[in-house]
Amino acid sequence: MRLLYGEERKFYIVKRYIKELFKNYSLQDWILPLLLFASKEQIPIMTTNYDEALSKKLNLTRHCKIGNSDSQFTFPFETYFSKTEIECPWKEFAIWHINGMVSYPQSIKIGYLDYTKMFNVIYERLFHGTAGLSSLIKGKGNLCNTWISIFFYRNLFIWGVGLNDDEYVLRWLLVERAKYNIVCNKNLKGWYVHLVDIDRPMTDGKKMFLNSVGIEIIEANCHDIYENVWKQIQNEL
């Protein structure tokens, strides 16, 4: 048994509280058409939410791409929700939790220390492991069993994520994706939806960042997200 002290114990208590807070969280039915479309067209979904409300909406079950799932308690890179087990994360529909999930309270990322550890693990796997970025380029290796592969192999539709300065792990992955796009002569696209009626005004720095990594900014109102945004780009996902 491992003893926890100081800040680590505080984080442990907070994560247990978050689990209890979100374990019964549910979503309204307006999200269902998007989920059904993604499922039908085999479009994977990555979420930064801890709750599993998206999966519950479609009665999905939890699966893991590796035999030993103990590592998933902290970094659930290979864990996903779907109807059945999948082969290729970037080719098949499943829901992946980037920042952890309530099923594994210790996987929940809530502070700078957590995100730093997450960055270090991803960096090690991308550039120093035996199946790093070169394996992504070749389309094989254990990174291809993770949600990280979706960043590098699919067009991205980003909605509901701030991508502010403190979300540096996601920003860094977008930078590496842009490099991969150039080095491998890919034509990966991306869109970021800014809801002008509820989101904070977008800073010039954020606009510059998104443009620099090849992400097109779409400005819309909440009620336009399905009719005037999603329907326009869904065929490119």
Side-chain angles (χ1 to χ4, degrees), residues 23-236:
K23 67 179 182 181
N24 295 319
Y25 183 73
S26 60
L27 292 171
Q28 295 179 347
D29 288 339
W30 66 267
I31 194 70
L32 197 55
L34 279 74
L35 293 177
L36 291 173
F37 176 84
S39 176
K40 178 184 176 182
E41 300 299 325
Q42 297 298 315
I43 299 171
I45 293 176
M46 296 182 289
T47 177
T48 57
N49 292 350
Y50 309 132
D51 64 79
E52 296 161 13
L54 290 173
S55 303
K56 291 177 181 177
K57 207 69 180 173
L58 294 181
N59 295 315
L60 306 181
T61 54
R62 189 173 72 247
H63 304 274
C64 185
K65 292 288 290 178
I66 56 177
N68 181 6
S69 61
D70 289 348
S71 64
Q72 304 303 294
F73 293 136
T74 307
F75 298 105
F77 297 129
E78 290 89 358
T79 298
Y80 59 93
F81 291 81
S82 65
K83 289 287 187 183
T84 59
E85 293 184 357
I86 64 171
E87 291 295 325
C88 297
W90 66 94
K91 290 183 179 180
E92 301 173 67
F93 171 75
I95 296 176
W96 303 77
H97 289 260
I98 294 176
N99 289 338
M101 62 189 77
V102 294
S103 292
Y104 303 139
Q106 285 306 100
S107 73
I108 294 173
K109 307 297 180 288
I110 58 173
Y112 180 80
L113 182 61
D114 275 345
Y115 286 108
T116 299
K117 290 178 179 178
M118 179 179 173
F119 170 84
N120 289 337
V121 172
I122 296 176
Y123 184 88
E124 179 68 23
R125 295 181 71 164
L126 271 177
F127 297 111
H128 298 298
T130 56
L133 186 56
S134 61
S135 72
L136 276 175
I137 293 173
K138 297 174 183 176
K140 59 183 179 180
N142 62 16
L143 274 174
C144 293
N145 289 326
T146 71
W147 57 258
I148 299 169
S149 64
I150 301 170
F151 262 87
F152 291 88
Y153 289 154
R154 292 294 298 239
N155 292 336
L156 297 178
F157 176 69
I158 305 171
W159 166 39
V161 181
L163 282 182
N164 299 314
D165 294 345
D166 56 340
E167 295 176 285
Y168 61 89
V169 176
L170 294 181
R171 281 185 165 231
W172 170 70
L173 279 173
L174 288 175
V175 170
E176 295 303 324
R177 178 181 186 266
K179 293 179 184 177
Y180 172 82
N181 217 4
I182 296 172
V183 171
C184 296
N185 196 27
K186 300 291 184 179
N187 187 31
L188 295 173
K189 300 178 181 178
W191 301 268
Y192 179 88
V193 177
H194 177 236
L195 297 176
V196 295
D197 51 343
I198 63 172
D199 291 342
R200 294 178 180 178
M202 189 177 293
T203 65
D204 291 338
K206 186 173 179 178
K207 292 178 183 178
M208 184 180 300
F209 168 75
L210 291 171
N211 288 329
S212 71
V213 295
I215 303 296
E216 178 184 343
I217 300 170
I218 300 176
E219 295 197 331
N221 294 311
C222 280
H223 61 273
D224 292 334
I225 191 69
Y226 182 69
E227 289 295 330
N228 296 335
V229 177
W230 176 251
K231 284 187 175 181
Q232 290 180 25
I233 69 167
Q234 60 186 19
N235 292 331
E236 299 194 62

